[in-house]
Amino acid sequence: MLTVAVTGATGAQGGATARALLAAGHRVRALTRTPDAPAAHDLRRLGSDVRYADFGDPPSLGPALAGADSLFAVTTPFGTDTATEVRQGRALLDAAATARVRHIVFTSAAHADRGTGIPHYDSKAEIERHLRATGAPWTVIAPAAFMDNFAGGWSLEGLREHTFAWPMPSGTPLTLIPAIDIGAFAALVLGRPADFTGRRIDIASDSLTPAGIAAALSAATRRTITHQAVPLEHVRSHSHDLAAMFAYFATTGLDVDVTGLRRAHPEVRWHTFADWAAAQNWPALLTPSRRNPPRHEA
């Protein structure tokens, strides 16, 4: 039984990892800036030790990490910027090394180590380099595109209009993974440090074209969903970072060995996109909130 500190524990990846670790019998120290949030209370009910930690408040990190065997580290530039993500990621890794954490698992992004030119991939590559420089035992897991994003934001708004709006050609494949599989794989890696220390692994659980995604969403929602290729210029008007990501997806693509991962690690119980879509509560998701009606943009 390990004591694992989990950052981002009230978010998608950290929350999935915390639950998978608890199910495997490990002790979870859930680190969050908001220990009184509903998601933090849910983790307490499941048996997590919830503690305050803020990447922007380095003195909070040492006490939060003291005595932990391992660390699951997740960073994000969204809500801040890539420079802040790098600064905070370095602070977290330095605090973990100072606390003599015996294994750090950092969740990055598939292909982030390939010089993609995508800002929020390049920031993670910089954090990966800093992780190696700390001298602490490390593993990098690097997820492909998140299935969970299709159940929120502008993707969900499009689905309410029977459209899968996605800035890629209909026939170009994209590798995908849900948060639950990221958490399951992270828990496997954390539980078997001897097998994974010093490795960087891109992970995905399915590969589909946008046309195939639309077909799977049609089956899951029981409504006809068609793919609409949103122009990159439209995405770029909102975010140069995301436009760079979709341009990379549409040209180079994310070539993750889904078949090899399934064969090597069957205990993860990898989900196909159809599996993930079938598990969503689409009647509730597709009903527009009265407080937050869908936005219609030109």
Side-chain angles (χ1 to χ4, degrees), residues 106-297:
F106 174 61
T107 178
S108 180
H111 290 209
D113 60 337
R114 303 190 190 187
T116 64
I118 303 166
H120 73 278
Y121 281 39
D122 291 347
S123 58
K124 288 177 175 57
E126 191 167 342
I127 295 169
E128 288 185 38
R129 288 190 288 271
H130 189 78
L131 172 59
R132 292 179 175 91
T134 64
W138 59 269
T139 305
V140 173
I141 64 172
F146 292 0
M147 295 180 189
D148 308 76
N149 287 341
F150 301 143
W154 48 268
S155 291
L156 183 59
E157 292 175 7
L159 294 180
R160 290 173 178 154
E161 309 267 340
H162 297 257
T163 298
F164 173 51
W166 197 248
M168 286 178 61
S170 290
T172 300
L174 178 66
T175 48
L176 303 157
I177 190 166
I180 190 172
D181 288 359
I182 300 172
F185 190 75
L188 174 69
V189 170
L190 286 157
R192 290 165 45 188
D195 294 334
F196 291 99
T197 294
R199 296 176 61 189
R200 186 191 190 280
I201 308 167
D202 286 346
I203 59 172
S205 52
D206 202 359
S207 178
L208 280 179
T209 64
I213 292 170
L217 289 170
S218 296
T221 61
R222 299 184 180 182
R223 57 170 62 190
T224 301
I225 304 292
T226 56
H227 171 239
Q228 176 183 344
V230 178
L232 277 179
E233 291 74 17
H234 179 76
V235 180
R236 193 171 290 112
S237 69
H238 294 275
S239 170
H240 285 277
D241 192 340
L242 292 180
M245 180 184 73
F246 284 115
Y248 186 87
F249 286 174
T251 54
T252 304
L254 296 179
D255 59 333
V256 181
D257 185 4
V258 173
T259 301
L261 284 165
R262 286 179 174 273
R263 182 170 55 246
H265 308 292
E267 60 270 59
V268 172
R269 300 176 65 186
W270 306 92
H271 293 75
T272 65
F273 184 80
D275 294 334
W276 171 84
Q280 307 309 302
N281 185 353
W282 294 110
L285 289 168
L286 293 171
T287 301
S289 167
R290 293 181 179 179
R291 292 182 181 179
N292 298 297
R295 298 186 305 274
H296 295 277
E297 300 176 355

